[in-house]
Amino acid sequence: MEENFDILDEKGNYIGKTESRKVCHKTGLYHKAVAVFIINSKNQVLLQKRSANKRMWPNTWDVTAGGHVLAGEFGFEAIIREIKEELGLDINKEDITFIGSAISTSEKKDIIANHFNEFYIINRDVDETKLKLQEDEVSEVKWIDKDEIIERVKNNYDGITDKEGCWEYLVKYYEWLDKK
């Protein structure tokens, strides 16, 4: 089934149109995307390794879950859907904390991804061995210590996706936690 997205202008305003993923990524139309980090009681973040067949960032460690916001959907709804699809994990709106947003542009191969991104945190202890991974999206998951992920971000995204904004918001969230 072809996914359709709400089309946004350069300021993030909905312009009253929807378009397919294919058209958005071929022509660079702005649309919404979401990313979520699950952080456990040890302050570790759960990362997923993108499958080898992904068109962007194959075999690279990434956010816990994420994806596009479908037409008519809110960001938190996309997070709930994506976590269920990618990890088989049930969450609800009350589990999710919004931490920020950013605009990003990524051009890789024949994809022009112009996104208005929303970033979220879920604080939860999860047994990663019991997750049901969506094999065409996710090849594995693992917990990473706070200091290691901060070092990777500061080290030019060493071994992780170079998605603009999301990792910086994770670092900012960790800094905020340290000040509490």
CSV table of all heavy atoms in Angstrom, one decimal, residues 16-40:
chain,number,residue,atom,x,y,z
A,16,GLY,N,-2.7,21.9,2.6
A,16,GLY,CA,-4.0,21.3,2.1
A,16,GLY,C,-3.9,20.3,1.1
A,16,GLY,O,-4.9,19.9,0.4
A,17,LYS,N,-2.7,19.7,0.9
A,17,LYS,CA,-2.5,18.7,-0.1
A,17,LYS,C,-1.8,17.5,0.5
A,17,LYS,O,-1.1,17.6,1.5
A,17,LYS,CB,-1.6,19.2,-1.3
A,17,LYS,CG,-2.3,20.3,-2.1
A,17,LYS,CD,-1.3,20.9,-3.1
A,17,LYS,CE,-0.7,19.9,-4.0
A,17,LYS,NZ,0.2,20.5,-5.0
A,18,THR,N,-2.0,16.3,-0.1
A,18,THR,CA,-1.2,15.1,0.3
A,18,THR,C,-0.6,14.6,-1.0
A,18,THR,O,-1.0,14.9,-2.1
A,18,THR,CB,-2.1,14.0,0.9
A,18,THR,OG1,-3.1,13.6,0.0
A,18,THR,CG2,-2.8,14.5,2.2
A,19,GLU,N,0.4,13.8,-0.8
A,19,GLU,CA,1.1,13.2,-1.9
A,19,GLU,C,1.8,11.9,-1.5
A,19,GLU,O,2.0,11.7,-0.3
A,19,GLU,CB,2.2,14.2,-2.4
A,19,GLU,CG,2.7,13.9,-3.8
A,19,GLU,CD,1.6,13.7,-4.9
A,19,GLU,OE1,1.1,14.7,-5.4
A,19,GLU,OE2,1.3,12.5,-5.2
A,20,SER,N,2.1,11.1,-2.4
A,20,SER,CA,2.7,9.8,-2.1
A,20,SER,C,4.2,9.9,-1.7
A,20,SER,O,4.8,10.9,-2.0
A,20,SER,CB,2.6,8.8,-3.3
A,20,SER,OG,3.5,9.3,-4.3
A,21,ARG,N,4.6,8.9,-0.9
A,21,ARG,CA,6.0,8.9,-0.5
A,21,ARG,C,6.9,9.0,-1.7
A,21,ARG,O,7.9,9.8,-1.7
A,21,ARG,CB,6.3,7.5,0.2
A,21,ARG,CG,7.8,7.3,0.4
A,21,ARG,CD,8.1,5.9,0.8
A,21,ARG,NE,7.7,5.5,2.1
A,21,ARG,CZ,8.4,5.5,3.2
A,21,ARG,NH1,9.7,5.8,3.1
A,21,ARG,NH2,7.9,5.1,4.3
A,22,LYS,N,6.6,8.3,-2.8
A,22,LYS,CA,7.4,8.3,-4.0
A,22,LYS,C,7.6,9.7,-4.6
A,22,LYS,O,8.7,10.1,-4.9
A,22,LYS,CB,6.8,7.3,-5.0
A,22,LYS,CG,7.6,7.2,-6.3
A,22,LYS,CD,7.0,6.2,-7.2
A,22,LYS,CE,7.8,6.0,-8.5
A,22,LYS,NZ,7.2,5.0,-9.4
A,23,VAL,N,6.5,10.4,-4.7
A,23,VAL,CA,6.5,11.8,-5.3
A,23,VAL,C,7.2,12.7,-4.3
A,23,VAL,O,8.1,13.5,-4.7
A,23,VAL,CB,5.1,12.3,-5.6
A,23,VAL,CG1,5.1,13.8,-5.9
A,23,VAL,CG2,4.5,11.5,-6.7
A,24,CYS,N,7.0,12.6,-3.0
A,24,CYS,CA,7.7,13.5,-2.0
A,24,CYS,C,9.2,13.3,-2.1
A,24,CYS,O,9.9,14.3,-2.1
A,24,CYS,CB,7.2,13.1,-0.6
A,24,CYS,SG,5.5,13.7,-0.2
A,25,HIS,N,9.6,12.1,-2.2
A,25,HIS,CA,11.1,11.8,-2.2
A,25,HIS,C,11.7,12.0,-3.5
A,25,HIS,O,12.9,12.3,-3.6
A,25,HIS,CB,11.4,10.4,-1.6
A,25,HIS,CG,11.2,10.3,-0.2
A,25,HIS,ND1,11.2,9.1,0.5
A,25,HIS,CD2,11.0,11.3,0.8
A,25,HIS,CE1,11.0,9.3,1.8
A,25,HIS,NE2,10.9,10.6,2.0
A,26,LYS,N,10.9,12.0,-4.6
A,26,LYS,CA,11.5,12.3,-5.9
A,26,LYS,C,11.6,13.8,-6.1
A,26,LYS,O,12.6,14.3,-6.7
A,26,LYS,CB,10.6,11.7,-7.0
A,26,LYS,CG,11.1,11.9,-8.4
A,26,LYS,CD,10.2,11.2,-9.4
A,26,LYS,CE,10.7,11.5,-10.8
A,26,LYS,NZ,11.1,10.4,-11.6
A,27,THR,N,10.7,14.6,-5.6
A,27,THR,CA,10.6,16.0,-5.9
A,27,THR,C,11.0,16.9,-4.7
A,27,THR,O,11.2,18.1,-4.9
A,27,THR,CB,9.2,16.4,-6.3
A,27,THR,OG1,8.3,16.2,-5.3
A,27,THR,CG2,8.7,15.6,-7.6
A,28,GLY,N,11.2,16.3,-3.6
A,28,GLY,CA,11.7,17.0,-2.4
A,28,GLY,C,10.6,17.8,-1.7
A,28,GLY,O,10.9,18.8,-1.0
A,29,LEU,N,9.3,17.4,-1.8
A,29,LEU,CA,8.3,18.0,-1.1
A,29,LEU,C,8.5,17.9,0.4
A,29,LEU,O,8.8,16.8,0.9
A,29,LEU,CB,6.9,17.5,-1.5
A,29,LEU,CG,6.5,17.7,-2.9
A,29,LEU,CD1,5.2,16.9,-3.3
A,29,LEU,CD2,6.3,19.2,-3.2
A,30,TYR,N,8.2,18.9,1.2
A,30,TYR,CA,8.3,18.9,2.6
A,30,TYR,C,7.2,18.0,3.2
A,30,TYR,O,6.0,18.2,2.8
A,30,TYR,CB,8.3,20.3,3.2
A,30,TYR,CG,9.6,21.0,3.1
A,30,TYR,CD1,9.9,21.8,2.1
A,30,TYR,CD2,10.6,20.7,4.1
A,30,TYR,CE1,11.1,22.5,2.0
A,30,TYR,CE2,11.9,21.4,4.0
A,30,TYR,CZ,12.1,22.2,2.9
A,30,TYR,OH,13.3,22.9,2.8
A,31,HIS,N,7.5,17.2,4.2
A,31,HIS,CA,6.5,16.4,5.0
A,31,HIS,C,7.1,16.1,6.3
A,31,HIS,O,8.3,16.4,6.6
A,31,HIS,CB,6.2,15.1,4.2
A,31,HIS,CG,7.4,14.3,3.8
A,31,HIS,ND1,8.2,14.7,2.8
A,31,HIS,CD2,7.8,13.1,4.3
A,31,HIS,CE1,9.2,13.8,2.6
A,31,HIS,NE2,9.0,12.8,3.5
A,32,LYS,N,6.3,15.5,7.2
A,32,LYS,CA,6.7,15.2,8.6
A,32,LYS,C,7.4,13.8,8.8
A,32,LYS,O,6.9,12.9,8.1
A,32,LYS,CB,5.6,15.4,9.5
A,32,LYS,CG,5.2,16.8,9.9
A,32,LYS,CD,4.2,16.7,11.0
A,32,LYS,CE,4.0,18.1,11.6
A,32,LYS,NZ,3.1,18.1,12.7
A,33,ALA,N,8.3,13.8,9.7
A,33,ALA,CA,8.9,12.5,10.1
A,33,ALA,C,9.1,12.6,11.7
A,33,ALA,O,9.1,13.7,12.2
A,33,ALA,CB,10.2,12.3,9.5
A,34,VAL,N,9.2,11.4,12.3
A,34,VAL,CA,9.3,11.3,13.7
A,34,VAL,C,10.5,10.4,14.1
A,34,VAL,O,10.8,9.5,13.3
A,34,VAL,CB,8.0,10.9,14.4
A,34,VAL,CG1,6.9,11.9,14.3
A,34,VAL,CG2,7.6,9.5,13.9
A,35,ALA,N,11.0,10.6,15.3
A,35,ALA,CA,12.0,9.7,15.8
A,35,ALA,C,11.8,9.6,17.3
A,35,ALA,O,11.5,10.6,17.9
A,35,ALA,CB,13.4,10.2,15.5
A,36,VAL,N,12.0,8.4,17.9
A,36,VAL,CA,11.9,8.2,19.3
A,36,VAL,C,13.1,7.5,19.8
A,36,VAL,O,13.6,6.6,19.2
A,36,VAL,CB,10.5,7.5,19.6
A,36,VAL,CG1,10.5,6.1,19.1
A,36,VAL,CG2,10.3,7.5,21.1
A,37,PHE,N,13.4,7.8,21.1
A,37,PHE,CA,14.5,7.1,21.8
A,37,PHE,C,13.8,6.5,23.0
A,37,PHE,O,13.2,7.3,23.8
A,37,PHE,CB,15.6,8.1,22.2
A,37,PHE,CG,16.3,8.7,21.1
A,37,PHE,CD1,16.0,10.0,20.7
A,37,PHE,CD2,17.3,8.0,20.4
A,37,PHE,CE1,16.7,10.6,19.7
A,37,PHE,CE2,18.0,8.6,19.4
A,37,PHE,CZ,17.7,9.9,19.0
A,38,ILE,N,14.0,5.2,23.2
A,38,ILE,CA,13.6,4.6,24.5
A,38,ILE,C,14.9,4.6,25.4
A,38,ILE,O,15.9,4.2,25.0
A,38,ILE,CB,13.1,3.2,24.3
A,38,ILE,CG1,11.8,3.2,23.5
A,38,ILE,CG2,12.9,2.5,25.7
A,38,ILE,CD1,11.2,1.8,23.3
A,39,ILE,N,14.7,5.2,26.6
A,39,ILE,CA,15.8,5.3,27.6
A,39,ILE,C,15.4,4.5,28.8
A,39,ILE,O,14.3,4.7,29.3
A,39,ILE,CB,16.1,6.7,27.9
A,39,ILE,CG1,16.6,7.5,26.7
A,39,ILE,CG2,17.1,6.8,29.0
A,39,ILE,CD1,16.9,9.0,26.9
A,40,ASN,N,16.3,3.6,29.3
A,40,ASN,CA,16.0,2.7,30.4
A,40,ASN,C,16.4,3.4,31.7
A,40,ASN,O,16.9,4.5,31.7
A,40,ASN,CB,16.5,1.3,30.2
A,40,ASN,CG,18.0,1.3,30.2
A,40,ASN,OD1,18.7,2.2,30.6
A,40,ASN,ND2,18.6,0.2,29.8
